[in-house]
Amino acid sequence: PIRVTGTLTIGKGTRIESFLGKSCIYVSQGTLNLNGGKIQGDTQNTVKHGGGIYAKNATVNVYEGIISRHSATYGGGICAIEYSNVSLKGGSIAGNKSGQGSGVYLDMSNLFMQEENGKSCQITQNTVTTEPSPKDMRGEGGGIYLIYSEAEIESGTINKNTAIAAAPDENGNIQGGLGGAISAKYSRVTIKGDTKIRNNSAGNRGGAIYTEGTNNDSSLLNIEGGTISGNHVNGSGAGIFAICSRGNKHNMDVNISGGTITNNYSGTG
């Protein structure tokens, strides 16, 4: 793999393909700028962290280019952990597969999605699954997964991503299938501007967004703008599903002050 500890800028015409059992690019205490080109996997090479980009205490800036066809346990396209910052201002993250955060996975990190020069990022047709084992593959966050993290999304499209659920166990409990577009645990997410969250699907909860807080680790979802439409769930919360698994109601707050939530639907029919 390509290891970055300084600054690497990737331009148009560049093609980086998968390394067996490794992320394509590993950024540690450095900066990666993607200005074009393709970081492309083969969907068969499954890694643990970040099939396309694995960032650890690092900065990732995506302005153009394609991150596609990667497979990982955490973060098919991008996995960012340990105080990393991910800025998405263009390009596309598409056709990736993972257990959590098939497009982008964040743990103790920050995500910013903004428009620049009339361009914005597309996170599309990514899939999270519980196969081969729900112990490792959790099926959470088809487009984006956050834990102990923060996301500010003011532009871009999160479209046609899927969170697949496992079959019910003998007690009727369902694992996975949480958050077709976004799954956020113990995190803060703000949706605003002209963000489009459309046509995503979840097998259990949160066709568009699933968010969860507890008494020790609260979550906050702010909807200030954008459009959440055409999302589907087999279970509950076609647009948004928010739950406080323990504690009181203020450990999971949802504030809606703008935007449009429309034409989302539930059911298996």
Side-chain angles (χ1 to χ4, degrees):
I2 299 170
R3 184 183 179 99
V4 181
T5 55
T7 299
L8 174 65
T9 299
I10 298 172
K12 295 179 180 180
T14 305
R15 185 184 182 99
I16 300 171
E17 296 188 346
S18 60
F19 297 84
L20 185 61
K22 301 290 184 181
S23 307
C24 287
I25 302 174
Y26 173 55
V27 192
S28 176
Q29 298 182 342
T31 299
L32 173 66
N33 299 311
L34 184 62
N35 293 343
K38 294 182 179 180
I39 303 173
Q40 186 168 307
D42 61 9
T43 68
Q44 302 302 312
N45 177 38
T46 300
V47 304
K48 186 173 183 180
H49 295 99
I53 298 168
Y54 180 22
K56 187 175 182 180
N57 189 17
T59 298
V60 176
N61 299 311
V62 179
Y63 301 102
E64 290 188 45
I66 299 170
I67 303 169
S68 67
R69 302 186 70 236
H70 297 283
S71 180
T73 304
Y74 308 104
I78 299 173
C79 176
I81 67 171
E82 295 184 15
Y83 312 107
S84 291
N85 290 299
V86 178
S87 176
L88 305 177
K89 296 182 177 180
S92 68
I93 302 172
N96 301 288
K97 182 179 179 181
S98 74
Q100 292 175 307
S102 190
V104 181
Y105 173 98
L106 300 144
D107 186 346
M108 297 178 67
S109 295
N110 299 303
L111 171 68
F112 307 94
M113 289 182 67
Q114 301 166 318
E115 181 180 314
E116 185 169 280
N117 298 324
K119 297 179 180 179
S120 58
C121 184
Q122 314 293 309
I123 299 176
T124 183
Q125 295 181 318
N126 301 286
T127 302
V128 287
T129 180
T130 58
E131 296 179 351
S133 169
K135 291 182 179 180
D136 298 317
M137 304 290 276
R138 301 294 181 89
E140 299 175 343
I144 300 168
Y145 176 88
L146 308 91
I147 185 165
Y148 301 114
S149 296
E150 185 167 346
E152 185 171 300
I153 304 171
E154 66 176 48
S155 190
T157 300
I158 307 171
N159 181 54
K160 295 183 179 179
N161 301 285
T162 304
I164 298 174
D169 63 18
E170 62 273 15
N171 298 315
N173 298 313
I174 299 174
Q175 294 192 31
L178 304 178
I182 299 169
S183 181
K185 291 185 175 180
Y186 331 129
S187 296
R188 180 187 180 109
V189 177
T190 299
I191 309 294
K192 57 185 182 179
D194 63 354
T195 302
K196 299 174 182 64
I197 302 176
R198 294 176 173 170
N199 305 318
N200 302 282
S201 179
N204 188 7
R205 294 173 170 177
I209 299 171
Y210 173 90
T211 181
E212 178 182 338
T214 72
N215 55 349
N216 293 321
D217 301 298
S218 61
S219 279
L220 175 63
L221 173 63
N222 290 317
I223 307 292
E224 300 175 5
T227 302
I228 300 172
S229 67
N231 302 284
H232 169 256
V233 68
N234 286 345
S236 304
I240 299 169
F241 186 99
I243 185 171
C244 183
S245 53
R246 294 182 298 277
N248 63 58
K249 62 182 180 180
H250 295 298
N251 295 123
M252 179 61 259
D253 282 338
V254 178
N255 298 322
I256 301 175
S257 59
T260 302
I261 303 173
T262 184
N263 293 328
N264 302 287
Y265 60 104
S266 61
T268 56

